[in-house]
Amino acid sequence: MSETRTCNPAAPSIFTEQVAELVAIGAAIAANCEPCFKYHYDQARKLGVSDLDMRYAVDLAQKVKETPARAMLNLAERYLGKSTSETKAAADSCCVTNPETQAGHCK
């Protein structure tokens, strides 16, 4: 049997303009959207949001974003074995090398 949740109309909303900007900052991090981050950072500053609160939003967004990426890497490692230091170094760089042609390009 599923639980039915009801909204408490007497409860005040905590979703202020400041909270909305923190959420938008987190979404910008998740979307890798530099213009979005800059815009919402500026908006949050105008609303008096502290750098510390913005840092919390960024850190939390990054943790949420990294979780599925880490899970996919773990899956690949289970199928293919642990990566070598050489492939890890390549993965950590900005340039991706095509193993067939040894040609690299930056994203």
Side-chain angles (χ1 to χ4, degrees):
M1 179 178 264
S2 67
E3 178 184 317
T4 303
R5 295 184 180 184
T6 58
C7 179
N8 181 353
S13 174
I14 63 163
F15 201 79
T16 62
E17 290 179 79
Q18 292 87 348
V19 170
E21 290 305 327
L22 291 171
V23 170
I25 286 170
I29 294 298
N32 291 324
C33 183
E34 186 176 327
C36 299
F37 176 81
K38 289 177 179 178
Y39 174 82
H40 291 291
Y41 170 84
D42 289 340
Q43 293 302 111
R45 296 281 302 206
K46 288 176 187 173
L47 292 169
V49 176
S50 72
D51 285 352
L52 180 61
D53 282 338
M54 286 189 268
R55 168 53 53 199
Y56 288 150
V58 167
D59 290 348
L60 180 57
Q62 188 62 29
K63 287 176 186 172
V64 169
K65 181 179 173 178
E66 288 174 351
T67 298
R70 194 174 317 109
M72 285 304 300
L73 182 58
N74 289 340
L75 175 66
E77 288 176 346
R78 281 198 317 268
Y79 277 75
L80 302 171
K82 292 284 183 187
S83 63
T84 66
S85 59
E86 182 179 306
T87 57
K88 173 141 177 45
D92 288 342
S93 72
C94 76
C95 294
V96 177
T97 302
N98 180 333
E100 293 177 11
T101 64
Q102 295 299 311
H105 68 279
C106 287
K107 293 182 179 183

